[in-house]
Amino acid sequence: MEPGESGTAGKKGEGGGKEGAAGEPEGPARPGPQPAPDAGPGSGSGASGPAAASGPVPEPAPGSVEGPPPAPAPVTGRQRLLNSLWPPRLTRAQLTVAVLLCVLGLGLAIQVRSTSDNSALRGARQEDLVRILDELDNRTKRLEDEKRRLENQRTELESSSNQAAEARKQTAQKEQQLGILAGTVRAQGPGIELTVSDPKGMVEADKLLDAIQELRAAGAEAIQINDVRVAADTFFSGAAGRVEIDGKKVSQPYRFKVIGKPQDLEPALNIPGGVVQTLEKEQAGVSVQRSEKIIVDALRPAKRPDYARSSSQ
């Protein structure tokens, strides 16, 4: 190679960067730095990395002042509560529990309301409660007296020397007692008079039957309504204002003649939610009077039972 050519090759190496320095003998070309494997087509342009891909950074507009972003507004406790409650995020298990709790609460509410409605003595005064307790005590005492009387009769029959005469005596007494209860004989004694006036015809037959049941529970021994004797087989029928007793029409006012202990009969009718209050709700007039002598003279025919027979025969 000529010396002139060698100088030219050195110049070419300085301009292109592909050959060695000037004056050096030619030899095999040394490998230069290789581009990265993932470099793209633009890797030889001198820009690489994210900065080169993103391009030039835009300059802020004239007159604008850049600053830190505004801080978010503080969240209050009420907002956090609302964010946690709405929108609701319920799972299937939570929904099932909620339905069960609703059903349980509804059942408890119905039970409490039913108990409150059915309790007639819930709003009673202390005096009324004391009177009801006295009536229960009197009923218990009557039952104990009846038990004691029957035991005495049995003792007399067992200890009497003439048991046949004693048995006939007790049988006659029992006949009188049963005749009073059956309504086949007249009776008199202390008791009360109950008068029910129904000018608007609102009192139905079942209200009068309730009065009879309450009087019997209080110890009534003989009852007469107007001119009809009340016995064990007495029945009430008819509509309001046209009540019939044992198939016989009874006009109002309805007058009850009741033989029994007045101290037991009158409080039994005046208890809270009892006969008097029930009839007054039907716009009926009710009056109760005690008397030391009540005469029950209405009689019922003695009927022989068709099927019932004494078990001693």
Side-chain angles (χ1 to χ4, degrees):
M1 179 180 296
E2 296 297 330
E5 294 178 358
S6 175
T8 306
K11 292 179 180 180
K12 290 181 179 180
E14 288 177 359
K18 296 183 180 180
E19 297 182 0
E24 293 182 357
E26 290 185 1
R30 289 177 295 180
Q34 300 294 327
D38 56 348
S43 59
S45 62
S48 63
S54 60
V57 178
E59 296 182 358
S64 63
V65 179
E66 291 186 357
V75 181
T76 62
R78 180 177 298 179
Q79 291 176 346
R80 286 197 299 269
L81 179 60
L82 293 176
N83 292 336
S84 63
L85 294 178
W86 190 264
R89 293 178 290 273
L90 296 177
T91 62
R92 180 174 297 179
Q94 292 174 341
L95 183 60
T96 303
V97 172
V99 172
L100 292 177
L101 290 177
C102 290
V103 174
L104 179 61
L106 180 61
L108 290 176
I110 294 175
Q111 181 67 24
V112 170
R113 183 175 181 181
S114 177
T115 304
S116 301
D117 294 342
N118 293 334
S119 180
L121 303 179
R122 187 177 183 86
R125 299 176 300 174
Q126 183 176 2
E127 295 81 1
D128 297 332
L129 295 176
V130 172
R131 186 167 54 186
I132 293 173
L133 291 176
D134 292 340
E135 181 185 352
L136 293 176
D137 293 339
N138 292 331
R139 291 182 183 180
T140 303
K141 184 179 179 181
R142 287 196 303 270
L143 293 175
E144 292 177 352
D145 293 341
E146 180 69 15
K147 177 183 177 181
R148 192 179 303 108
R149 186 178 62 82
L150 293 175
E151 290 176 350
N152 292 336
Q153 290 181 358
R154 185 185 64 181
T155 302
E156 291 176 0
L157 287 173
E158 293 175 352
S159 60
S160 176
S161 58
N162 190 354
Q163 295 183 357
E166 184 65 25
R168 285 194 296 270
K169 177 183 176 181
Q170 293 188 9
T171 301
Q173 294 176 354
K174 196 67 174 179
E175 181 182 3
Q176 288 291 327
Q177 296 174 1
L178 294 178
I180 293 175
L181 297 177
T184 57
V185 297
R186 293 179 174 85
Q188 67 178 15
I192 63 171
E193 290 185 358
L194 171 65
T195 304
V196 179
S197 59
D198 184 24
K200 295 186 178 182
M202 301 295 293
V203 177
E204 298 182 355
D206 59 342
K207 300 297 187 296
L208 301 180
L209 179 59
D210 292 339
I212 294 296
Q213 299 292 357
E214 192 65 36
L215 291 170
R216 284 174 173 170
E221 298 176 350
I223 303 175
Q224 175 179 334
I225 302 178
N226 289 4
D227 56 350
V228 179
R229 185 71 172 268
V230 177
D233 58 348
T234 299
F235 63 93
F236 292 77
S237 60
R242 297 187 299 273
V243 178
E244 296 182 359
I245 304 177
D246 291 338
K248 183 178 181 180
K249 185 177 180 180
V250 180
S251 60
Q252 61 93 19
Y254 309 107
R255 295 183 175 88
F256 291 69
K257 295 182 179 180
V258 186
I259 296 177
K261 189 176 181 181
Q263 293 80 1
D264 296 339
L265 297 176
E266 184 180 6
L269 297 176
N270 289 315
I271 62 174
V275 174
V276 174
Q277 289 189 2
T278 303
L279 292 173
E280 288 177 349
K281 288 181 181 179
E282 301 293 337
Q283 301 180 3
V286 184
S287 65
V288 182
Q289 295 180 354
R290 298 186 184 185
S291 179
E292 293 299 326
K293 185 177 181 180
I294 300 292
I295 298 176
V296 176
D297 52 3
L299 302 179
R300 297 173 61 89
K303 295 181 180 180
R304 181 180 179 86
D306 296 330
Y307 304 100
R309 296 292 181 270
S310 175
S311 60
S312 61
Q313 294 181 355

